[in-house]
Amino acid sequence: MLQVEKLRKVYGQNMQYEALKGIDLTVKDGEFVGIMGPSGSGKSTFLNLIATIDQPTSGKILLNGKNPNELDQEKIAQFRRTQLGFVFQAFNLLPTLTVEENIVLPLTLDGEKVAVMKKKVRDIAPRLGIEGLLNKRIAEISGGQAQRVAVARAMVHQPELLLADEPTGNLDTKSSKDVMGLLRQLNEEEQATILLVTHDPLAASYCQRIVFIKDGELVHDVRRQGTQKEFYEEILVDLARIEGVDNEF
């Protein structure tokens, strides 16, 4: 579904910094994959390249066999709106719009019919537990509810790939568990393909698979075998080893 081949990203001209050093990664249709690693490891750069927000220095990103970076700017923007869904730490919702208007924003930009948009909202809002919030403004709802709205907006056009960048970063523990449970539910029930960047081992434990990036290289890849608790503990051990913490005790 997603094929990343020898992906490199170099910033700067005279003083060059190699943020990604030739990453290879395959994500199958319906997988829920977490990306973890130390600060500055290249996690967000990697996600931005897949999101077509940034361009790779070399290498390929193929989504269902197609390379979006070969498109012109107008078609890349359309690709982003129709093929990808985005969930951010800061929600990125528009405060002047209602919850419903925020959810259908990608469809509005594509000129979808109002009746179609209304139906899609009726379908998705109950699944995310936000059907009672549709007429409220963003300032009137909680952070956890706002992130649910952001997930609804990301999924309303049924994207090929959902990209989530630290989606629990601004949430308390209960809201974090709610949002991660929701993403897992979308993955299991809707077969949504999800790529999640997180520094939080608990959030990561909701994934099926974790890839670890360090110094711009993919250094470890682990799949969940047992319970979520066992996976959480395995992630903690792997993080300590990759960050070098286990050598200090």
Side-chain angles (χ1 to χ4, degrees):
M1 189 272 183
L2 174 68
Q3 186 77 37
V4 177
E5 301 175 358
K6 295 180 173 54
L7 191 66
R8 289 180 69 244
K9 181 63 182 179
V10 178
Y11 291 104
Q13 297 295 327
N14 298 327
M15 295 287 290
Q16 290 194 338
Y17 169 65
E18 193 174 17
L20 294 179
K21 302 174 182 177
I23 286 183
D24 293 311
L25 179 68
T26 298
V27 176
K28 294 180 180 177
D29 197 23
E31 271 197 299
F32 188 178
V33 180
I35 302 169
M36 301 193 79
S39 296
S41 61
K43 302 186 301 293
S44 292
T45 298
F46 183 64
L47 201 72
N48 286 341
L49 292 176
I50 292 172
T52 69
I53 293 169
D54 204 352
Q55 298 275 319
T57 302
S58 62
K60 283 184 180 178
I61 299 167
L62 303 174
L63 189 65
N64 289 326
K66 297 177 182 176
N67 186 347
N69 290 302
E70 294 176 347
L71 303 172
D72 61 35
Q73 286 304 307
E74 183 178 339
K75 290 215 170 115
I76 281 182
Q78 184 183 29
F79 168 85
R80 219 177 277 142
R81 286 200 309 271
T82 58
Q83 303 297 306
L84 303 177
F86 299 93
V87 183
F88 301 97
Q89 178 176 337
F91 313 144
N92 286 10
L93 299 171
L94 298 179
T96 55
L97 301 182
T98 65
V99 164
E100 181 172 8
E101 288 166 344
N102 268 283
I103 292 171
V104 300
L105 190 58
L107 303 175
T108 304
L109 293 171
D110 275 341
E112 186 58 88
K113 294 177 181 176
V114 173
V116 173
M117 291 193 287
K118 291 280 188 188
K119 182 182 185 307
K120 285 182 179 287
V121 171
R122 284 198 307 272
D123 288 343
I124 199 166
R127 298 211 307 272
L128 304 188
I130 54 174
E131 64 268 40
L133 306 176
L134 295 177
N135 294 320
K136 291 183 179 291
R137 304 280 174 183
I138 301 306
E140 299 176 286
I141 64 178
S142 70
Q145 289 170 331
Q147 197 59 295
R148 284 173 173 263
V149 174
V151 172
R153 180 188 58 190
M155 294 298 298
V156 72
H157 59 295
Q158 296 175 303
E160 296 288 337
L161 178 64
L162 177 63
L163 303 172
D165 191 359
E166 300 282 8
T168 63
N170 283 336
L171 303 179
D172 59 37
T173 302
K174 183 187 180 304
S175 296
S176 295
K177 288 180 178 178
D178 287 347
V179 167
M180 290 310 304
L182 177 61
L183 290 177
R184 181 163 63 189
Q185 180 184 339
L186 288 170
N187 170 253
E188 291 174 351
E189 296 180 5
E190 311 288 333
Q191 284 73 57
T193 307
I194 304 173
L195 206 55
L196 166 83
V197 164
T198 185
H199 69 280
D200 180 5
L202 181 58
S205 70
Y206 284 79
C207 300
Q208 299 168 336
R209 174 185 172 202
I210 304 293
V211 295
F212 295 87
I213 295 177
K214 182 178 182 180
D215 299 328
E217 298 179 298
L218 201 160
V219 295
H220 190 48
D221 187 333
V222 60
R223 294 178 184 273
R224 177 175 165 178
Q225 303 292 338
T227 66
Q228 182 178 351
K229 184 175 185 296
E230 289 168 339
F231 195 36
Y232 170 73
E233 291 168 351
E234 184 177 3
I235 291 167
L236 286 176
V237 171
D238 286 337
L239 276 177
R241 179 176 53 79
I242 288 164
E243 295 183 5
V245 177
D246 60 342
N247 296 324
E248 298 181 12
F249 294 97

